[in-house]
Amino acid sequence: MELNYDFFYDWTKKNLNINLNGYKEKQLQRRIASVMKNSGAATLEEYSRKIQKEPAVKQEFLDYITINVTDFFRNQDIFEEFEKQLVTYLSPQFSNLKIWSAACSTGAEAYSMAMILDKHAIRSAEKILATDIDETILKRAKVGKYKTHEMKNVTEIDRSRYFHEEDGVFCLTPAIKNRVQFKKHDLIADRFSSGFHAIVCRNVTIYFKNEVKEELYQKFSDSLMPGGLFFTGATEAIYNPEAYGFQKVAPFIYKKL
Ligand SMILES: C[S@@+](CC[C@H](N)C(=O)[O-])C[C@H]1O[C@@H](n2cnc3c(N)ncnc32)[C@H](O)[C@@H]1O
């Protein structure tokens, strides 16, 4: 039976305040059909009623749609290049950095940035802004506790400097946690702030339709100060950076002109 996605997109927009129209259709519909089946619903109309009535079904849907996979220093070699750009280019130019980790998931990315700032004694004008559409993951991010398997890219030195271990769980020090401020933000629906010196937005635009992605690149560019850096995911190279006022400075790293 054909599933009524138009109905479901309208319903999620109205009832969950999520605009699914911006996401790549086939990929998204495969995921919706699969999570709907898990719940035992046969149609999207029935599934929407279940989401409304059963908090566990709602949570499973939100988790499935948002895809929270992340890591500290994800794609280490590229992150090292970003660290180098931050230390040798960005920080000497701007005395107080304003940084945004957009679609931050568990916070591993924002906290990686906080560790880099601490390591190089780089000052930030305000806390690193870390945003995501998913409120559940933001709650986890604020807690700042990670399991061993999430720590694979964190060196022994960083583990002992920035975490303490409690029964196999790695807890971030208050000094690093205090450098990050978490906030709910939908990249498709919400307004962007401005005046950033660096924006890190990785592994989320791959889920968006091309026209949405292009609009986002322009909005990120507008949100950056001239000379600021935009850092994308390892499968999210921008092929025409000039179109958004960017210049490529290293793979997946762009400077706002
Ligand atoms: C694969 S994770 C990427 C996490 C991190 N940036 C990284 O690269 O490791 C994708 C994140 O994007 C978030 N997300 C999905 N759609 C979003 C939207 N419209 N606005 C903001 N965040 C969104 C998800 O909740 C999820 O936490």
Side-chain angles (χ1 to χ4, degrees):
M1 190 180 47
E2 285 263 306
L3 293 176
N4 189 349
Y5 287 104
D6 287 342
F7 154 78
F8 192 66
Y9 289 7
D10 284 348
W11 185 86
T12 47
K13 198 165 178 192
K14 228 181 271 162
N15 294 277
L16 305 179
N17 200 20
I18 295 180
N19 183 359
L20 295 174
N21 281 305
Y23 293 74
K24 280 183 191 156
E25 216 150 65
K26 277 197 185 134
Q27 200 181 25
L28 179 69
Q29 293 185 354
R30 250 197 327 266
R31 295 185 72 76
I32 293 174
S34 144
V35 70
M36 178 192 91
K37 220 168 136 199
N38 284 350
S39 79
T43 64
L44 287 169
E45 288 79 355
E46 187 188 344
Y47 187 42
S48 64
R49 287 191 292 274
K50 270 179 171 283
I51 292 178
Q52 201 142 42
K53 279 200 210 122
E54 300 173 36
V57 173
K58 179 177 171 186
Q59 196 51 55
E60 191 191 15
F61 168 68
L62 293 174
D63 290 349
Y64 216 77
I65 289 306
T66 48
I67 313 168
N68 295 127
V69 179
T70 190
D71 243 332
F72 286 98
F73 306 101
R74 187 170 187 176
N75 310 112
Q76 268 176 311
D77 46 340
I78 310 173
F79 225 99
E80 271 165 27
E81 178 59 40
F82 187 70
E83 178 171 357
K84 194 175 113 195
Q85 293 288 338
L86 211 76
V87 175
T88 61
Y89 160 75
L90 206 60
S91 164
Q93 234 191 115
F94 303 100
S95 52
N96 272 311
L97 297 185
K98 184 173 166 182
I99 298 175
W100 178 19
S101 163
C104 64
S105 187
T106 66
E109 180 175 272
Y111 289 134
S112 301
M113 307 286 293
M115 288 185 248
I116 291 175
L117 295 187
D118 182 83
K119 220 175 291 176
H120 299 283
I122 296 173
R123 282 191 306 190
S124 44
E126 33 197 273
K127 293 186 182 199
I128 293 169
L129 174 66
T131 61
D132 203 283
I133 193 175
D134 180 349
E135 282 173 296
T136 311
I137 209 74
L138 286 173
K139 277 191 198 134
R140 233 210 96 186
K142 279 180 203 162
V143 173
K145 293 186 177 180
Y146 298 89
K147 304 225 171 81
T148 310
H149 71 89
E150 297 175 282
M151 297 287 293
K152 65 180 190 311
N153 291 341
V154 184
T155 62
E156 281 302 326
I157 295 176
D158 285 352
R159 282 182 194 205
S160 58
R161 193 184 294 169
Y162 300 121
F163 295 83
H164 71 268
E165 202 182 337
E166 266 174 26
D167 302 327
V169 174
F170 289 83
C171 313
L172 270 164
T173 59
I176 291 299
K177 276 171 61 178
N178 285 340
R179 290 195 83 144
V180 181
Q181 182 198 14
F182 291 97
K183 246 188 180 169
K184 185 180 182 224
H185 181 269
D186 180 344
L187 285 166
I188 296 178
D190 294 336
R191 283 177 49 134
F192 284 24
S193 304
S194 58
F196 293 102
H197 301 106
I199 297 176
V200 182
C201 181
R202 308 178 73 213
N203 305 298
V204 64
T205 66
I206 33 166
Y207 302 114
F208 298 150
K209 288 179 182 162
N210 276 342
E211 60 269 28
V212 173
K213 205 185 294 189
E214 284 161 14
E215 213 177 291
L216 282 182
Y217 289 154
Q218 190 55 57
K219 284 165 91 176
F220 283 129
S221 175
D222 294 342
S223 289
L224 278 166
M225 301 286 285
L229 294 178
F230 180 53
F231 186 18
T232 68
T235 55
E236 298 169 315
I238 305 177
Y239 294 104
N240 52 344
E242 307 75 28
Y244 312 100
F246 286 136
Q247 180 193 13
K248 181 175 167 182
V249 290
F252 314 107
I253 303 171
Y254 303 88
K255 178 168 86 178
K256 158 95 177 266
L257 294 171

